[in-house]
Amino acid sequence: MSSLDLLFGTQSSAAKGGDIRKVTLVGAGPGDPGLLTRKGFDALQSADVVFFDELVSPEIIDLLQPQTRCIYVGKPCGSAAMSQSDIIEQLIRAARAGLRVVRLKGGDPMVFGRSGEEIEALRAASIEVDVVPGITSASGAASSTRISLTHRDYAAHVSFVTAARREGELADIRGLAGKGRTLVVYMGIARARALSEALQADGVDAALPIAIVENATRPDERVIITTVRELPNTVARQNVRSPALFIVGDVVRTYVPADASAASDARA
Ligand SMILES: C[S@@+](CC[C@H](N)C(=O)[O-])C[C@H]1O[C@@H](n2cnc3c(N)ncnc32)[C@H](O)[C@@H]1O
């Protein structure tokens, strides 16, 4: 019998006798534990079991009660600790065992978090789903860098795009960047060259600034300023690591480094 079988063989004391079967999806925010919502904190405190992702910071896991079971189901660099279908199966089993189940995801669970698939599968299994939003990493990065994504002098539109579509190709970014627009690119490190080329093919100025924000809101946050043309070279030269996102647009001109040593890699 696996440890999961043992776990699911025991019912939560609160759920015993009741027949509500529920999973709560909680957004952990971008890393700083102070950015977890109060509602998310309460859900974590009362959970019997928490299934958590790669990008959930250790400081948030430290907030859990000692008796709470933590099950890591992350996908470091695309390789899964547990496949998406296994994750869904375990969520269903835990909920059916009467446990108070939290599915904890980095950022906001409803932004590039595969929550849609999990909600559909849980509903199909007649399991109730609650969602507690989190601060998405674009908001976290905007705040920690003080780059307002919609600064009125520069942008009236903001788009969030993933560079990693299900089929592996770059998302269609036509019309999303350039004058009056801010584009925030999630999961872009491995597709920096394709992104740079696609932006230039769309007529975006090669000198348009980009802020690369690595580990936003965490103690090891790093901000690198570059340009559309230089993006792939900067990512390689500066050895940019996940998690990182790109803020593309004139709003980046408002960035003021916290100290004079902050990196700049623009060679426009
Ligand atoms: C699978 S998506 C999850 C997004 C998450 N649901 C959110 O709302 O932020 C993972 C990507 O989010 C971005 N990301 C998440 N946390 C980040 C952080 N602390 N700093 C910079 N980017 C982050 C990166 O682009 C990373 O590759």
Side-chain angles (χ1 to χ4, degrees):
M1 191 182 259
S2 74
S3 58
L4 283 178
D5 289 330
L6 285 169
L7 172 72
F8 298 157
T10 60
Q11 282 196 318
S12 132
S13 49
K16 265 179 201 156
D19 57 5
I20 294 181
R21 302 287 181 252
K22 188 168 84 173
V23 172
T24 305
L25 271 58
V26 175
D32 175 352
L35 295 176
L36 178 68
T37 66
R38 192 157 160 182
K39 199 166 177 182
F41 177 78
D42 290 346
L44 290 175
Q45 289 293 294
S46 57
D48 294 309
V49 56
V50 174
F51 294 85
F52 69 101
D53 275 347
E54 175 72 10
L55 292 178
V56 174
S57 64
E59 291 84 353
I60 289 191
I61 299 301
D62 287 346
L63 298 173
L64 299 177
Q65 297 289 343
Q67 71 276 11
T68 304
R69 283 295 306 271
C70 294
I71 300 176
Y72 171 68
V73 294
K75 301 179 185 66
C77 301
S79 62
M82 208 187 269
S83 72
Q84 187 63 26
S85 57
D86 284 346
I87 295 170
I88 289 171
E89 191 191 319
Q90 299 302 342
L91 291 173
I92 292 172
R93 287 181 64 200
R96 285 191 173 146
L99 299 172
R100 288 166 298 200
V101 185
V102 166
R103 175 75 174 99
L104 183 61
K105 292 167 179 278
D108 185 310
M110 307 304 255
V111 178
F112 305 132
R114 302 190 70 170
S115 291
E117 295 154 58
E118 293 178 15
I119 291 168
E120 282 166 9
L122 291 165
R123 278 195 186 133
S126 300
I127 290 165
E128 206 179 291
V129 184
D130 266 359
V131 182
V132 180
I135 292 178
T136 192
S137 45
S139 295
S143 297
S144 61
T145 60
R146 319 294 195 261
I147 297 173
S148 167
L149 300 179
T150 55
H151 190 304
R152 290 215 310 176
D153 292 345
Y154 300 105
H157 304 253
V158 59
S159 307
F160 295 171
V161 70
T162 171
R165 301 219 53 226
R166 199 194 295 245
E167 302 77 16
E169 88 277 24
L170 185 71
D172 184 359
I173 50 83
R174 283 172 297 178
L176 300 181
K179 195 127 197 75
R181 289 159 201 272
T182 301
L183 177 65
V184 182
V185 183
Y186 289 63
M187 290 171 273
I189 297 172
R191 291 172 186 78
R193 183 162 301 283
L195 177 68
S196 167
E197 287 170 1
L199 287 168
Q200 291 179 76
D202 193 37
V204 173
D205 181 355
L208 190 71
I210 296 183
I212 301 171
V213 190
E214 187 185 74
N215 289 311
T217 80
R218 301 174 184 216
D220 50 354
E221 176 176 292
R222 183 162 67 132
V223 183
I224 305 162
I225 304 299
T226 185
T227 63
V228 167
R229 183 195 297 114
E230 280 301 310
L231 178 70
N233 297 332
T234 300
V235 165
R237 198 163 43 228
Q238 298 277 357
N239 195 20
V240 176
R241 298 278 176 191
S242 179
L245 52 72
F246 308 147
I247 302 174
V248 184
D250 283 317
V251 292
V252 172
R253 300 187 195 285
T254 64
Y255 176 68
V256 178
D259 61 65
S261 63
S264 174
D265 207 68
R267 315 241 164 135

